[in-house]
Amino acid sequence: MSNYHHVNFLWDDAKAASLDPVGRLIYRSNLLGSDQRITNTGGGNTSAKILENDPLTGQPVEVLWVKGSGGDLRTSTRENFSSLYQEKLLGLQRIYASRDDKGLKSQAEDDMVGMFSHATFNLNPRASSIDTTLHSFLSGKHVDHMHPNAIIAIAASKNREQLTQEIFGGEMAYVPWMRPGFELGLAMQEIANKQPNVKAIMMGQHGFISWDDDEKTCYAHTLDFIEKAANYIEAKYAANGGDATAFGGQKYVSLEPAKRSEIFAKILPWLRGQVSKEKRFIGTVQDDEKILRFVNSQDAARLAELGTSCPDHFLRTKIKPLYVDWNPQNEDAAALKLKLAAGLEAYRKDYSTYYGICKHANSPAQRDPNPTVVLIPGIGMIAWGKDKSESRVTAEFYNCAVEVMRGAEAIDAYVSLPQQEAFDIEYWLLEEAKLQRMPVEKELARQVIIVIGAGSGIGKETAHRLVKEGAQIVCVDMNEAAAQATAREITDKYGVGIGVAGTGLSNCGLAIGLVANITDRASIRKMLDEVAIAYGGFDSICVTAGVFVPSDTSGHIPDDKWALTFSINVTGSYFVADEAFKTWKEQGLRGNLVLTTSANAAVAKKGSVAYDVSKAAGNHLVRELAIELAPLVRVNGVAPATVVQGSALFPRDRVIGSLAKYDIPYTDDEATESLVTKLARFYADRTLTKSPITPADQAEAYFLLVSKRLSKTTGQIVTVDGGLHEAFLR
Ligand SMILES: [Zn+2]
């Protein structure tokens, strides 16, 4: 086929020719994975059977390179692929055949997965995928197994077998749903042997697999099948009336974008609290045209109840989403909350019933019964995950499910996987083992922390410190560009994760940069609402924003400068606390507020009257707020002193002023860096520990106070001043 409308043919012969055989497999995999219409994030796998020299004998031997467990085709590199002796894998068939307990979903089948490591070629440490046998037992040199929405739409139709025949003629065979494993590999081998003209197999309620001895042809075939499926679906869809009649036609109308954001902001923190009773979740909002068409439709309630089909999809989306029949045209946010509360209760009950009916004697214990996908007419979808990346994957998979249902309903009727089959995937002991192998979650995992003042100095350092512990970080600053620069530094360093979904702000990665002026309540509220849309809510806030306005040359501070100092250093912190507390109460999850005071709060000095008095007020604000916000939120303060390096409070002018004040020699043309070092040294020598104090030293204190390490401490000021005995609190 030369004309593609539903996929892009991207193969570049010159590029392919420049690569070694494994490199070409990776190239093909990245091309396939980069198109959401071809496969979903983390879904599908590719392989190539390549002649390699055996390290023991030096003789050529056929090695199966196949995408291993974990990772994603789009971003795969060599280390995502496992390599196995093809002959040894085929040899497993004899061992399997000799087992008395063999069969679909048997112990013998699962045991074969453990045998894969005995077939490892060249000590490759990548764990093999459960799909390894699919690739090994088909004789094609190159094999692609994909999860395209257009193909799954056929695979999840009531008459999937006839449709496969009708659409693909004799080119694609059909295998009914089987849990992936040894038996599925054997079934495919038999089909390929009996029907030598077949180039692919439709996998009932799952996806498809295709192969060829030439890699470019293999790639082209994969695209051709998807193109053919999509052409068939879109022709029927259009003939049936297209978007206007999709999913039985429209029942509700979407709210305007601003109104949608308003409703999301009103319900998200509360909803996050409701679904985070066992463990906290991070949210992603989707309100593009496709998802709105679905949630607004006549059939949304019925189709949502059926659940998702492809096993990849429902492992994240759970067996089904929670659909709430709220009327966006004549009901308000309060009514929505009531309906969500009732819906959640029913959902949890349903989930426990499903577990109770389907469980086996050796099934793992019931997992969190809360939905991970919530559908609301008029506004869209909310998806949950343990971090931002996972919540975007959840959203992506339900977007896929909607596309699958659209296609299946256009050509036939959508059917989901039988409940027991879904359970046997969700609670599969091999899946459980995979979960157990996951690394222990970091200390601040599942948390959203807002750092106000993150554009520079201590705030920026704190943002970097907290993200290292697994938190999602909202970088807030009056200077929007500076806030976004810090967020970008973080995402550049840690990546934005996987999962292609999320609308607007909610499309973000593990850090986002937002603007706010803390002297303006409306500006703070707007920022907190944006945080709700980006992540679903927040856990802790660190306020590092502050201002130092020096007295004039005569030692006097003008009235407007006095007012500005108090407005930022005292009232600003209070406004943040007061606005955030409204959200914290809605969310109902424990949180932390850390304010920034100063050693100057306790030491009276010449030349900084406004600053010092404002910081003394800051100390008492910490204590008052600790009482007001208890027991939900702990409130503490960090009192830094004389952090010169990297501080926005110490521009060159102030550094020179201080050097002059303390009679420290300097020259006017001296580099700022050198002036700063001189002043930092001078301050260090005044402390008990005789060491310069850095933003990193401060960041450590914010980390301790937002972590559980000081979980019984509230209303306190932690000094990070190198030891200034004049500033000892008493
Ligand atoms: Zn699959």
Side-chain angles (χ1 to χ4, degrees), residues 131 145 147 206:
D131 290 341
H145 162 51
H147 295 161
H206 183 157

Side-chain angles (χ1 to χ4, degrees), residues 134 138 175 184-193 201 203 209:
L134 280 51
L138 287 167
V175 64
L184 182 57
L186 291 174
M188 287 181 170
Q189 186 180 44
E190 198 185 331
I191 289 170
N193 286 343
I201 302 173
M203 301 158 70
I209 194 161

Side-chain angles (χ1 to χ4, degrees), residues 59-326:
Q59 296 301 307
V61 60
E62 191 171 41
V63 175
L64 175 74
W65 282 85
V66 56
K67 203 206 130 223
S69 186
D72 170 52
L73 285 174
R74 178 169 59 93
T75 54
S76 273
T77 58
R78 205 167 281 249
E79 62 183 38
N80 291 97
F81 286 79
S82 56
S83 54
L84 305 109
Y85 290 95
Q86 166 68 354
E87 202 186 321
K88 290 189 184 181
L89 284 174
L90 293 174
L92 287 179
Q93 293 187 10
R94 280 193 307 277
I95 297 175
Y96 182 71
S98 71
R99 289 277 297 251
D100 294 333
D101 60 345
K102 61 181 173 287
L104 191 59
K105 298 195 278 189
S106 66
Q107 187 58 45
E109 214 192 9
D110 284 1
D111 287 349
M112 290 305 112
V113 177
M115 299 295 283
F116 292 162
S117 41
H118 292 285
T120 301
F121 171 79
N122 207 11
L123 308 177
N124 185 338
R126 169 61 54 183
S128 298
S129 155
I130 192 76
D131 290 341
T132 299
T133 52
L134 280 51
H135 292 265
S136 171
F137 297 172
L138 287 167
S139 62
K141 296 276 180 241
H142 304 277
V143 181
D144 291 339
H145 162 51
M146 299 289 131
H147 295 161
N149 295 333
I151 297 273
I152 306 176
I154 298 161
S157 286
K158 193 162 163 248
N159 298 296
R160 48 197 173 274
E161 192 170 358
Q162 295 92 308
L163 281 165
T164 303
Q165 178 62 32
E166 184 186 329
I167 300 166
F168 303 104
E171 289 198 322
M172 193 185 291
Y174 173 80
V175 64
W177 161 258
M178 290 166 86
R179 191 171 77 177
F182 213 83
E183 286 286 342
L184 182 57
L186 291 174
M188 287 181 170
Q189 186 180 44
E190 198 185 331
I191 289 170
N193 286 343
K194 281 190 178 158
Q195 306 175 55
N197 293 331
V198 148
K199 294 178 185 164
I201 302 173
M202 172 74 70
M203 301 158 70
Q205 279 139 316
H206 183 157
F208 86 123
I209 194 161
S210 57
W211 59 89
D212 198 84
D213 286 340
D214 174 73
E215 54 214 332
K216 185 180 169 185
T217 311
C218 178
Y219 171 76
H221 279 167
T222 297
L223 265 54
D224 290 348
F225 287 119
I226 300 168
E227 177 74 13
K228 219 172 205 180
N231 276 335
Y232 182 87
I233 290 167
E234 298 314 329
K236 292 252 176 181
Y237 182 71
N240 293 345
D243 293 345
T245 57
F247 309 117
Q250 194 176 356
K251 183 175 176 188
Y252 298 115
V253 180
S254 296
L255 297 176
E256 288 302 310
K259 187 71 189 166
R260 295 205 292 270
S261 296
E262 185 194 317
I263 302 273
F264 274 131
K266 271 189 181 147
I267 59 153
L268 271 162
W270 171 83
L271 186 60
R272 177 171 186 246
Q274 296 299 304
V275 300
S276 297
K277 301 275 187 222
E278 290 184 18
K279 279 182 174 174
R280 294 185 187 201
F281 285 96
I282 309 297
T284 289
V285 165
Q286 185 87 31
D287 64 347
D288 65 331
E289 203 184 317
K290 281 187 178 176
I291 202 79
L292 283 167
R293 187 180 305 125
F294 179 70
V295 297
N296 289 339
S297 73
Q298 296 284 352
D299 290 344
R302 170 181 69 82
L303 290 169
E305 189 63 23
L306 292 177
T308 52
S309 187
C310 178
D312 254 26
H313 296 177
F314 71 72
L315 275 176
R316 295 273 192 226
T317 63
K318 285 235 164 98
I319 178 118
K320 64 176 181 182
L322 166 62
Y323 168 86
V324 185
D325 195 2
W326 174 70

Side-chain angles (χ1 to χ4, degrees), residues 41 50 55 67 98 153 178 212-213 216 283 304 391 395 399 432 443 447 456 521 541 543-544 548 556 680 703 710 718:
T41 292
I50 297 170
K67 203 206 130 223
S98 71
M178 290 166 86
D212 198 84
D213 286 340
K216 185 180 169 185
S391 83
N399 287 337
E432 174 71 8
E443 204 165 338
Q447 303 232 355
S456 62
R521 258 183 197 277
I541 302 181
V543 184
T544 65
F548 176 89
H556 184 255
F703 162 56
L710 296 179
V718 174

